[in-house]
Amino acid sequence: MAIFSKRSYINFPMLMRVIGWLLMIEAAFMLIPLGVALLYKESDAINFLISIGVTLVAGGLLMSLRPKTREMGKREAILLTALIWCILSLFGMLPFLLSRTHLSITDAFFETMSGFTTTGASVLNTLHNVPHGILMWRCVIQWIGGMGIILFTLAVVPMLNYQGGMQLFNAEVTGITHDKLRPRVSYTAKGLWLVYIILTISLIILLSFSDMNFFDAACHGLSTMSTGGFSTHDLSIAAWDSIYVKSVVVIFMFLGGINFALIFKLATGDGRGIFKNVAFKWYCLITLGCYVLLTCNVIFEGLVHSWDDVTLDPLFQAVSIISSTGLVEPDFGDWGPLSELVLIAMMFVGACAGSTSGGAKIDRLIVLVKFIKNEFYRTMNPNAVLTVSINGKGTSYILVQKVLAFLFLYIFVILGGAVILVLLGLNLRDALFCSLSAISNTGLGTDATGVAGNYSLVPDAAKWTLAFIMLVGRLELYTILLLFTRAFWKK
């Protein structure tokens, strides 16, 4: 057997075998909407059976491959992560293609990729006649994508712990650095998923005590905890017009924006870590600041009609956007230009690294702000030796460089995506907003799509472009963009 460190080729047979495992897992998740379709006696049940059968056959064929070596390194991890999000979206769109929603291949892929990346942008004009099975499937794929497809596999397929598990973990999990909760990656994956599952179940139970029926509670529990934002109703949460529902959803959207490793430590008795964490403190302060700005703007625009307008509604909106859930108040378009600026800033920044939220992440903003502060000081004191300190620990200059490079590339992708969208027919304002919305996995729209983000009228080529940007944003740029470099493929 060749020593891995000297191996110059990519282990494609092993990649295909792992993809087979993942397709089998996806087929298992399809049993959930199948059960819902059967429960509601919908004809779409047969479509889910067909989708499960096709996915199982494809997965079985790939699993039958016998690679000469099961070793996987960094290149395999990056390629596998990029491929699996695309392949699972291709098979995950089968129920949309076969159902009575009559979506085209472009629309079905867009809807599925938007789900897996927890963007929440939709091409469905109305949810009124959409089958219950499809509504459940939309929320299930958001829930899977929220914590991560690869991370789930690391939790349930322990053998990957020895075969490039750490590389797979780093390729998918968001953030500047990736701290393991346990010595083995599979234990870390299980711990994070355990927290995710417990929070999701808790949310579903709490929503079940409202006017929602259990189906609506389950769907909104899955989509809220993943900070995805898909709903079962055209008006989303506003359809229930309930202070209780909004309050519960606000709490869990906020939790979805926290680093799940911190929540895990809090649940296991290490409560000091979360309150000493700088990113968590900034997350709370930024959310509070945006809430105050939105409240003031509502007052100045003369939109106050009840206490909710200056209390719960602005808070709901602030938490929804910064966590990238993307749920909006029905009258948000009337809140004025200041609210739009606050919204754009929150979309760009996002919440904490290691959460289910999108955006550039607060952790990187902290590094940038402290680096700029040091540079101002160094201008007056050229001989000063300064370091960026995070959580009481010095940060290496290499890490600072990575953050600066990431933020530059993040802006470059937004602008590059906007240019392509303009060439495809969108006006400049819509193009910039939609590009930012896609890369931040927020899913909001503007004039061309409506503030709730319905993308049915966007040209097909623009939908493929936005789907690509969604994936780039969800996997934090490098995992996807590296595939377009010569260095990645060079032996």
Side-chain angles (χ1 to χ4, degrees), residues 230-438:
F230 275 156
S231 179
T232 58
H233 197 283
D234 290 337
L235 294 177
S236 191
I237 298 296
W240 286 269
D241 192 24
S242 167
I243 294 176
Y244 173 79
V245 169
K246 284 187 178 180
S247 301
V248 170
V249 170
V250 162
I251 293 171
F252 281 85
M253 285 193 300
F254 185 81
L255 290 174
I258 301 174
N259 188 330
F260 275 77
L262 292 178
I263 299 177
F264 179 86
K265 291 177 181 178
L266 178 64
T268 53
D270 185 8
R272 295 175 298 174
I274 189 170
F275 298 108
K276 290 183 178 181
N277 186 269
V278 176
F280 176 73
K281 292 179 181 179
W282 277 54
Y283 177 43
C284 295
L285 291 173
I286 291 174
T287 303
L288 179 61
C290 291
Y291 160 67
V292 171
L293 286 174
L294 290 176
T295 301
C296 292
N297 192 62
V298 168
I299 295 172
F300 293 151
E301 292 291 332
L303 299 173
V304 181
H305 305 294
S306 66
W307 280 107
D308 290 355
D309 293 332
V310 291
T311 53
L312 183 57
D313 289 353
L315 179 62
F316 181 92
Q317 203 59 76
V319 175
S320 173
I321 302 305
I322 199 169
S323 67
S324 80
T325 308
L327 299 174
V328 292
E329 291 295 313
D331 61 346
F332 182 78
D334 301 326
W335 283 21
L338 177 59
S339 293
E340 290 188 11
L341 290 174
V342 173
L343 177 148
I344 291 171
M346 289 191 293
M347 284 170 59
F348 182 89
V349 174
C352 303
S355 66
T356 59
S357 69
K361 302 296 186 299
I362 287 174
D363 306 62
R364 294 188 176 93
L365 177 65
I366 295 171
V367 173
L368 175 64
V369 170
K370 293 195 173 187
F371 174 75
I372 292 174
K373 179 182 176 182
N374 286 351
E375 289 304 304
F376 274 114
Y377 186 84
R378 192 176 284 114
T379 300
M380 299 301 297
N381 303 274
N383 296 323
V385 179
L386 304 172
T387 184
V388 173
S389 178
I390 305 295
N391 296 323
K393 298 179 181 179
T395 302
S396 69
Y397 190 69
I398 293 177
L399 192 60
V400 175
Q401 286 180 315
K402 287 182 179 180
V403 169
L404 297 178
F406 178 93
L407 293 173
F408 173 80
L409 188 57
Y410 197 81
I411 295 171
F412 181 81
V413 172
I414 293 171
L415 296 177
V419 169
I420 296 173
L421 294 175
V422 167
L423 294 175
L424 294 173
L426 275 69
N427 64 54
L428 181 59
R429 180 175 180 272
D430 289 341
L432 281 169
F433 195 92
C434 290
S435 183
L436 172 59
S437 180

